Amino acid sequence: KNSEVLGAMAKADIKPKSVHHAKKWSDDVENLYRFQQAGYRDEVEYKQVKQVDMVECWPETGFVKKLQRRDNTFYYYNKQRECEDQEVHKVKVYVY
């Protein structure tokens, strides 16, 4: 359900209304961390730039599995959490 909304937003070239920094870790913050490491705001921007409908995720955890950077190199991520507590405050959460 959520990914359908994101897919529609990606096609419409939506820009975020506001942004704040994450306060505590969550599954969503983990995935944002992964997108931001690869050079994107979030899943919406990734889908806009890369023109993809789906992002590969680990079925066990739902975390992003791999992302393609803008220079076309790939980032591969673990099943487990990668965003450490001291990194959480660096993650930007975009509001649409």
Side-chain angles (χ1 to χ4, degrees), residues 30-41 46 50 54-58 63-79 82 87:
E30 178 66 38
N31 278 335
L32 284 169
Y33 173 77
R34 294 172 185 217
F35 282 109
Q36 289 167 22
Q37 268 198 322
Y40 303 93
R41 278 193 312 256
Y46 182 77
K50 288 295 168 193
M54 287 296 301
V55 176
E56 266 191 73
C57 293
W58 290 104
F63 295 150
V64 172
K65 187 174 188 176
K66 78 172 192 195
L67 293 172
Q68 192 174 13
R69 291 189 348 187
R70 290 168 199 265
D71 64 4
N72 292 332
T73 55
F74 282 92
Y75 273 14
Y76 295 90
Y77 298 98
N78 294 324
K79 284 187 187 111
E82 290 194 13
E87 300 287 312

Side-chain angles (χ1 to χ4, degrees), residues 4-16 41 43-45 47-49 51-53 96:
E4 285 173 28
V5 172
L6 289 170
M9 286 167 62
K11 288 177 182 64
D13 198 28
I14 309 273
K15 298 276 183 265
R41 278 193 312 256
E43 188 173 346
V44 174
E45 186 183 43
K47 287 177 172 179
Q48 279 173 215
V49 172
Q51 298 293 299
V52 294
D53 292 325
Y96 292 90

Side-chain angles (χ1 to χ4, degrees), residues 20-25 29 83-92:
H20 62 274
H21 287 268
K23 300 275 189 286
K24 63 185 197 344
W25 186 89
V29 168
C83 181
E84 302 293 334
D85 280 335
Q86 65 267 27
E87 300 287 312
V88 168
H89 73 279
K90 297 178 188 171
V91 176
K92 293 177 182 169

